[in-house]
Amino acid sequence: MAASLDGFIARKDGRVDWLETADEFAGGETMDPGFVEAFLKSIGCYVMGSRTYETALSFEAKGLGWAYGDKPIFVLTSRKLPRTRDTVEFYSGDLAQFVNGRLRPAFRSIWFVGGGVVSGECLRLGLADEVRYSILPILIGDGIPFFEKLDRDVTLHLAEVKGYKSGMVALCYEVRTEMKRPNQEPEPTAPSGRGSS
Ligand SMILES: NC(=O)c1ccc[n+]([C@@H]2O[C@H](COP(=O)([O-])OP(=O)(O)OC[C@H]3O[C@@H](n4cnc5c(N)ncnc54)[C@H](OP(=O)(O)O)[C@@H]3O)[C@@H](O)[C@H]2O)c1
């Protein structure tokens, strides 16, 4: 996901108006449309929380389009939400069982779109191989954190850093398998899945 430098993915009320910033980083790279297209093609399916889905629906209603093409989208929810296209499927329940039992055998690359509740759940359950974290050149003071309710340390390996002309810094981390609660010895976790965030 994209976050403010102080670690928020949206304002408390869900607004993401601050994602558009006017910064310019002279030495930065430009986003290559060919690379973006190939990257999006490599994604097998998307998984998102219900609040992120509701934001996507509201963007579409405002004429801002649908960012997920015709790829399957699994929306986690315990509520009855509108299903606006055939590619959307709802799921409620054990996320680890769903990802490992149903999604991993079917898709090579599973993209966790967010938001903070789902990315926290995904890390807690040991389902992520990779975390993609883009920092925007802004501080917003308060909001929805990138990872909600992490109850342990998650050690990471920095695999890639890119600074863009827009002032955004894109970080890619691989998730290490060992985790520990604060003040405890490291303990093994569930096998790592193929998810990203
Ligand atoms: N900056 C970015 O790149 C970025 C990216 C993605 C999202 N966002 C923003 O993040 C905000 C939403 O994040 P959020 O943390 O508030 O919510 P979220 O993670 O999108 O959705 C959380 C909700 O998903 C449902 N859920 C989660 N796990 C479930 C499970 N295992 N089974 C059934 N339902 C489950 C629950 O809702 P129910 O009540 O429906 O059961 C839960 O309240 C939005 O404002 C969105 O725009 C920003």
Side-chain angles (χ1 to χ4, degrees):
M1 292 188 282
S4 59
L5 180 61
D6 44 354
F8 301 113
I9 55 161
R11 296 193 195 277
K12 274 266 181 267
D13 61 6
R15 276 180 301 138
V16 286
D17 52 298
W18 50 273
L19 282 175
E20 293 283 328
T21 61
D23 191 27
E24 213 172 292
F25 172 41
E29 296 183 30
T30 340
M31 199 78 79
D32 170 11
F35 172 80
V36 175
E37 198 188 325
F39 184 76
L40 292 177
K41 233 182 207 166
S42 75
I43 296 172
C45 72
Y46 296 96
V47 179
M48 65 176 76
S50 62
R51 287 187 222 140
T52 297
Y53 176 62
E54 286 171 311
T55 305
L57 290 184
S58 76
F59 278 0
E60 194 181 25
K62 285 181 201 149
L64 297 171
W66 181 253
Y68 313 101
D70 55 5
K71 295 284 170 74
I73 298 178
F74 299 96
V75 177
L76 306 175
T77 187
S78 57
R79 293 177 289 146
K80 184 115 189 78
L81 294 173
R83 183 168 178 257
T84 56
R85 45 183 34 84
D86 290 345
T87 48
V88 171
E89 195 178 307
F90 299 109
Y91 178 81
S92 174
D94 186 325
L95 187 59
Q97 204 172 44
F98 182 60
V99 171
N100 292 327
R102 162 103 189 268
L103 301 187
R104 286 184 67 189
F107 302 101
R108 237 191 99 242
S109 169
I110 302 164
W111 182 269
F112 281 85
V113 181
V117 168
V118 167
S119 64
E121 200 174 343
C122 182
L123 268 289
R124 261 193 329 272
L125 294 169
L127 298 173
D129 296 318
E130 236 177 50
V131 175
R132 288 182 178 262
Y133 194 125
S134 294
I135 304 172
L136 295 179
I138 191 165
L139 297 162
I140 62 171
D142 196 9
I144 299 171
F146 200 116
F147 303 103
E148 282 273 13
K149 298 196 180 109
L150 271 188
D151 57 353
R152 58 186 64 206
D153 298 347
V154 177
T155 54
L156 304 170
H157 163 65
L158 180 62
E160 195 179 288
V161 181
K162 276 187 187 169
Y164 288 96
K165 275 206 180 332
S166 63
M168 181 178 87
V169 178
L171 302 166
C172 176
Y173 293 96
E174 287 162 13
V175 178
R176 296 273 196 224
T177 47
E178 81 278 12
M179 293 180 184
K180 62 181 174 63
R181 291 191 178 83
N183 308 320
Q184 280 191 352
E185 288 306 305
E187 62 183 51
T189 57
S192 192
R194 290 179 185 277
S196 342
S197 193

